Amino acid sequence: MFHPYRKDSSYLRAALFKSYKEKCAYCGRTIQQRDMHIDHIIPSNKQEIVDEEVKNYIAELVENGFIVDSIENYLPSCPACNIDKTNRIFTSSNLRFYHEKVRRHVAEILNIIDGLKETKEIFYEPVDTGIWEEIDFSYQRDLSHAIMGYRLTSADVEVCPRFPQVEKIKKQLSIVDYTIIEGETGCGKSISIYQAAYDFYRDGWRVYQCKATETIDLKSIRDNTELSLYIIDDAQQLSEKLVDSLKKQARSNAKILFAKTISSVVKQDTILLTNKEAVELIYSDFVKKKEEIVPGMHKFDKSVGINFMDHPIERRLEAARKAVTPW
């Protein structure tokens, strides 16, 4: 039997913390409740499972009514253990070991929760949703948006070509927990940060984008214990003092990614992206994908195509190659 329970419940946090004697279930170190992570033994994102024994074990659980968000699949973890595990799947023997460990605590956890019901249950919001919007990348569109030159968003990450700077962004985030990408207007800064964030999302991170730079405060980042990546586009609107304060909040489980229009002074922690290299990369990528692009082009100009009487798409791409901005 599985007991479904919301991971963000204050009742659950208190019960797990008390039942496991204020210790991390993985390393046994004493933790503070405010720093405790609640970890899924089997994560909700199981796309990278390749081990047949693990697949068979999960199939066995599913036959018995397994629920990912259940008390039987939660463990209290210190931040270091949870970050090290991220979305990694254990071997089947480890999964069995930890699930058996949880079963020994279920009755006590339920009793503690029952005892807490005289107090108000609070559902923990990792961030202030009035300031930060969570991105789940579930909606992806075709190239039409990019062809028309509209501002690119998290809905364009799969269809747009990737700049080398995306890998640089990810590498720098792994070292110093924040990074800044600067470039001219229209050079591809926004799509680059969304593509880097997309990779974090697929690794089990929650991704948040700032709704409006004037509303930013530090509390949401400082108090969050979830694996979270924060995106701040148009960061040139922030004061240097606020940017420096935000950098100081970045840490291994709360990384910050800034994008800003290029300034006169480029700092050491900044990754540059120029219009020239963006135009060249998009040109070469679109030439390779011309059969895919033509249907989109036909929505705006039916004379362009790859048939005998059509205007060659290469001619249009050459004209775009001479443009100041790539999109």
Side-chain angles (χ1 to χ4, degrees), residues 42 46-63 89-92 95-96:
I42 294 176
K46 299 182 285 295
Q47 63 180 0
E48 295 185 3
I49 298 176
V50 294
D51 186 279
E52 287 301 321
E53 287 188 6
V54 171
K55 287 181 179 179
N56 292 337
Y57 175 66
I58 294 176
E60 177 187 322
L61 289 175
V62 170
E63 285 180 9
I89 300 288
F90 289 122
T91 63
S92 60
L95 291 171
R96 291 181 189 277

Side-chain angles (χ1 to χ4, degrees), residues 181-227:
I181 182 166
E182 287 193 18
E184 302 153 288
T185 300
C187 72
K189 300 185 299 298
S190 295
I191 192 60
S192 295
I193 62 174
Y194 283 121
Q195 287 172 333
Y198 183 48
D199 289 354
F200 275 84
Y201 171 77
R202 294 198 296 177
D203 283 337
W205 288 65
R206 300 179 79 162
V207 177
Y208 300 96
Q209 64 179 354
C210 180
K211 291 182 177 180
T213 53
E214 64 269 15
T215 64
I216 288 179
D217 71 4
L218 305 180
K219 188 176 185 299
S220 286
I221 301 174
R222 184 181 63 239
D223 296 344
N224 188 5
T225 62
E226 301 280 339
L227 286 173

Side-chain angles (χ1 to χ4, degrees), residues 80-230:
C81 285
N82 192 34
I83 292 164
D84 180 61
K85 178 177 179 274
T86 59
N87 224 32
R88 178 169 56 87
I89 300 288
F90 289 122
T91 63
S92 60
S93 59
N94 280 336
L95 291 171
R96 291 181 189 277
F97 170 79
Y98 285 117
H99 276 142
E100 184 57 39
K101 186 174 186 176
V102 171
R103 290 186 189 102
R104 295 196 293 269
H105 288 262
V106 171
E108 183 181 15
I109 289 169
L110 290 171
N111 284 335
I112 295 171
I113 289 173
D114 282 339
L116 291 169
K117 288 187 175 175
E118 292 182 1
T119 63
K120 183 179 179 182
E121 184 173 23
I122 298 170
F123 294 101
Y124 171 69
E125 284 287 350
V127 303
D128 184 338
T129 54
I131 298 173
W132 302 96
E133 176 186 4
E134 186 166 6
I135 305 172
D136 66 6
F137 297 96
S138 57
Y139 170 59
Q140 293 295 309
R141 54 185 162 224
D142 63 19
L143 272 168
S144 301
H145 211 73
I147 290 170
M148 285 294 290
Y150 296 148
R151 183 163 187 160
L152 302 178
T153 72
S154 58
D156 301 294
V157 297
E158 291 184 350
V159 74
C160 287
R162 284 191 168 214
F163 300 116
Q165 282 81 354
V166 173
E167 292 305 316
K168 291 180 182 178
I169 290 169
K170 289 162 56 181
K171 182 176 181 180
Q172 187 156 317
L173 284 173
S174 72
I175 298 169
V176 295
D177 300 322
Y178 74 86
T179 194
I180 300 170
I181 182 166
E182 287 193 18
E184 302 153 288
T185 300
C187 72
K189 300 185 299 298
S190 295
I191 192 60
S192 295
I193 62 174
Y194 283 121
Q195 287 172 333
Y198 183 48
D199 289 354
F200 275 84
Y201 171 77
R202 294 198 296 177
D203 283 337
W205 288 65
R206 300 179 79 162
V207 177
Y208 300 96
Q209 64 179 354
C210 180
K211 291 182 177 180
T213 53
E214 64 269 15
T215 64
I216 288 179
D217 71 4
L218 305 180
K219 188 176 185 299
S220 286
I221 301 174
R222 184 181 63 239
D223 296 344
N224 188 5
T225 62
E226 301 280 339
L227 286 173
S228 301
L229 174 65
Y230 297 85

Side-chain angles (χ1 to χ4, degrees), residues 254-273:
K255 299 179 184 290
I256 306 175
L257 183 48
F258 303 88
K260 58 192 297 190
T261 303
I262 197 164
S263 58
S264 57
V265 179
V266 177
K267 297 185 177 181
Q268 190 174 2
D269 58 2
T270 298
I271 295 171
L272 289 177
L273 185 60

